[in-house]
Amino acid sequence: MKFATKVIHAGIEPDPSTGAIMTPIFQTSTYVQAAPGAHKGYEYARTQNPTRSVLEKNLAALENGTDAICFASGLAAQDAVMKLLKSGDEVLAVNDLYGGSYRQMVRVWGQWGLKSRFVDMYDASKVEREISPDTKLLWLETPTNPMLNIVDIEAVCAVAKRRGILVCVDNTFASPYLQNPLDLGADIVLHSATKYIGGHSDVVHGCLVVKDASLAERLHFLQNASGAVPGPQDCFLILRGIKTLHLRVQRACENAAVIAEYLAAHPKVGKVYWPGFHDHRNHDIARRQMRMFGAMVSFDLKDNTVENATKVLRGTHLFSLAESLGGVESLIGHPASMTHASIPREERLKVGLTDSLIRLSVGVEDADDLVADLEGALGGGNCQNLALEQDSF
Ligand SMILES: *Cc1c(COP(=O)(O)O)cnc(C)c1O
């Protein structure tokens, strides 16, 4: 099955008891047994739930894995991966990553003797030099957040494989439509399904996808033993969102390309970060490992003050000022005070995350309207007729 067919059909069958074409929400905590131990594969809803099982089958197919394991959030999924390690082990993570992932590694797992180190993964050979005898897990995010650097998944996985180190790729920014890390050698793919997979900003959810039976078994054990499972209603919403994943991400990427080009040509805009630019430092790798270049765009202002950034952040109408990403609606954010506030300022500045960096999650609205909205906020003055003021629907 090709991707567009998988999102609709993989793992999804009409409900056998009624023929309902949509997977029912099995809102139950337990299942009746005919005799002790004689059940239909479901005993208790932390361990198994039919709505969740369907979603897990579908997600496994989207990432070309054998098993998916769902959690109440992306960070709960990360929590399970970290529990594969033990005290004294080290995680080597990309140095430009989701603030909450950093916070969990340093402030939660650090207390339990699990070490985390953050390095630039622009160059796979540099990653090899950074590996220590304690390194047991490589943690990749690509495109990175919010600088939109690209890590060469295949090259880094080859390094890890030679040394028997596990690789987890947080694929949230790309979504399974754009990039499939298991195909490139990764052991675990993580998604905050809150973002593109759910796609409608109405649910918090996370998942892991693997292709190795023993790893799947350990993660299923942790899912059940630690218990951060998603409820059936949330699984239903994610299943519903997935059906249009390919359409949404494709349109959002097309819009992002228009916006990135517009920003790059704007006299008030400084550097624009988007992997689709030919002069992006890992553009060729992005071209090789992604289907399109993603719908996240970050940029700085030439007059690089917090005050100027704040004017832009307060000046948009279609782009809503909010954390998160990957929904149908466009969002604008200020990483230094929002998504990345939990990362110390010195660490932020090292990766180029200045106090005035602005991050866009481009949605699936009309590209002209989005450009006009930014034009209004930037005050460029070279946009003749703001589409927003026209009745152009
Ligand atoms: C949002 C996000 C997470 C955390 O996921 P939650 O669902 O919010 O717990 C992890 N990684 C990335 C890249 C994210 O954007």
Side-chain angles (χ1 to χ4, degrees):
M1 263 190 251
K2 298 240 169 86
F3 194 88
T5 312
K6 282 190 204 171
V7 296
I8 314 283
H9 294 290
I12 302 169
E13 300 286 346
D15 174 47
S17 62
T18 61
I21 192 163
M22 286 302 133
T23 307
I25 301 167
F26 285 90
Q27 194 75 52
T28 188
S29 63
T30 191
Y31 308 86
V32 177
Q33 307 192 7
H39 53 76
K40 300 175 174 169
Y42 296 92
E43 296 148 279
Y44 183 65
R46 176 172 14 80
T47 320
Q48 315 100 341
N49 176 283
T51 317
R52 193 175 93 206
S53 304
V54 170
L55 174 59
E56 288 177 339
K57 284 197 190 99
N58 185 260
L59 287 166
L62 298 189
E63 282 289 9
N64 301 328
T66 54
D67 288 79
I69 304 102
C70 288
F71 294 88
S73 70
L75 285 184
Q78 173 180 337
D79 183 89
V81 176
M82 298 298 282
K83 285 174 180 160
L84 295 170
L85 308 181
K86 57 185 189 333
S87 170
D89 288 349
E90 180 188 71
V91 182
L92 198 59
V94 67
N95 65 350
D96 173 29
L97 81 169
Y98 179 66
S101 299
Y102 175 93
R103 180 177 56 202
Q104 187 185 109
M105 285 175 192
V106 172
R107 293 182 54 193
V108 179
W109 293 108
Q111 297 187 101
W112 297 91
L114 231 165
K115 298 174 283 185
S116 301
R117 213 147 39 83
F118 303 89
V119 298
D120 186 345
M121 293 198 178
Y122 157 64
D123 180 355
S125 65
K126 181 161 184 292
V127 176
E128 182 146 38
R129 289 196 296 279
E130 293 284 352
I131 288 171
S132 81
D134 291 337
T135 308
K136 295 286 150 47
L137 173 69
L138 296 188
W139 190 274
L140 275 56
E141 222 182 284
T142 178
T144 65
N145 178 9
M147 303 313 296
L148 303 168
N149 292 315
I150 299 292
V151 180
D152 187 337
I153 299 173
E154 196 167 20
V156 172
C157 288
V159 166
K161 200 134 291 172
R162 283 202 289 280
R163 305 196 174 217
I165 298 170
L166 222 50
V167 180
C168 178
V169 178
D170 181 338
N171 203 26
T172 302
F173 264 41
S175 89
Y177 177 63
L178 297 184
Q179 175 174 284
N180 301 116
L182 297 180
D183 293 347
L184 302 169
D187 300 292
I188 306 172
V189 171
L190 178 146
H191 282 284
S192 167
T194 314
K195 317 296 168 49
Y196 289 103
I197 290 182
H200 294 75
S201 307
D202 52 9
V203 56
V204 172
H205 191 281
C207 72
L208 302 173
V209 188
V210 297
K211 59 183 177 185
D212 174 82
S214 75
L215 198 49
E217 196 184 319
R218 286 163 72 199
L219 290 168
H220 274 298
F221 169 80
L222 287 166
Q223 178 194 42
N224 184 51
S226 288
V229 293
Q233 169 90 26
D234 287 354
C235 292
F236 173 87
L237 286 170
I238 298 291
L239 271 169
R240 179 180 171 140
I242 284 176
K243 294 178 203 302
T244 53
L245 177 65
H246 55 312
L247 304 173
R248 289 185 283 104
V249 175
Q250 183 184 348
R251 169 62 81 87
C253 289
E254 287 165 6
N255 284 351
V258 172
I259 285 165
E261 300 285 355
Y262 157 77
L263 288 170
H266 196 285
K268 290 190 181 171
V269 170
K271 189 153 172 52
V272 182
Y273 302 89
W274 179 62
F277 288 129
H278 290 282
D279 62 357
H280 181 283
R281 67 176 184 168
N282 268 343
H283 173 74
D284 291 342
I285 295 163
R287 190 171 276 285
R288 199 167 68 225
Q289 74 187 14
M290 299 174 77
R291 195 187 290 229
M292 295 174 83
F293 296 110
M296 300 299 293
V297 181
S298 296
F299 66 100
D300 245 334
L301 299 174
K302 269 197 191 126
D303 190 359
N304 199 351
T305 62
V306 182
E307 291 69 36
N308 281 335
T310 304
K311 265 186 221 148
V312 177
L313 291 159
R314 298 182 57 151
T316 56
H317 301 285
L318 290 178
F319 282 89
S320 301
L321 179 61
E323 298 201 5
S324 200
L325 62 120
V328 288
E329 63 289 305
S330 294
L331 300 181
I332 189 166
H334 183 232
S337 68
M338 297 167 74
T339 44
H340 291 65
S342 53
I343 298 178
R345 187 164 182 272
E346 318 81 77
E347 294 293 323
R348 295 200 303 257
L349 291 175
K350 270 190 219 161
V351 301
L353 198 173
T354 61
D355 290 345
S356 65
L357 189 86
I358 293 171
R359 188 188 84 175
L360 303 177
S361 168
V362 180
V364 302
E365 301 96 331
D366 184 275
D368 293 344
D369 288 339
L370 294 178
V371 167
D373 193 36
L374 290 171
E375 183 76 9
L378 283 162
N382 55 4
C383 186
Q384 300 84 356
N385 45 14
L386 293 183
L388 274 183
E389 288 162 13
Q390 299 168 350
D391 198 9
S392 57
F393 287 95

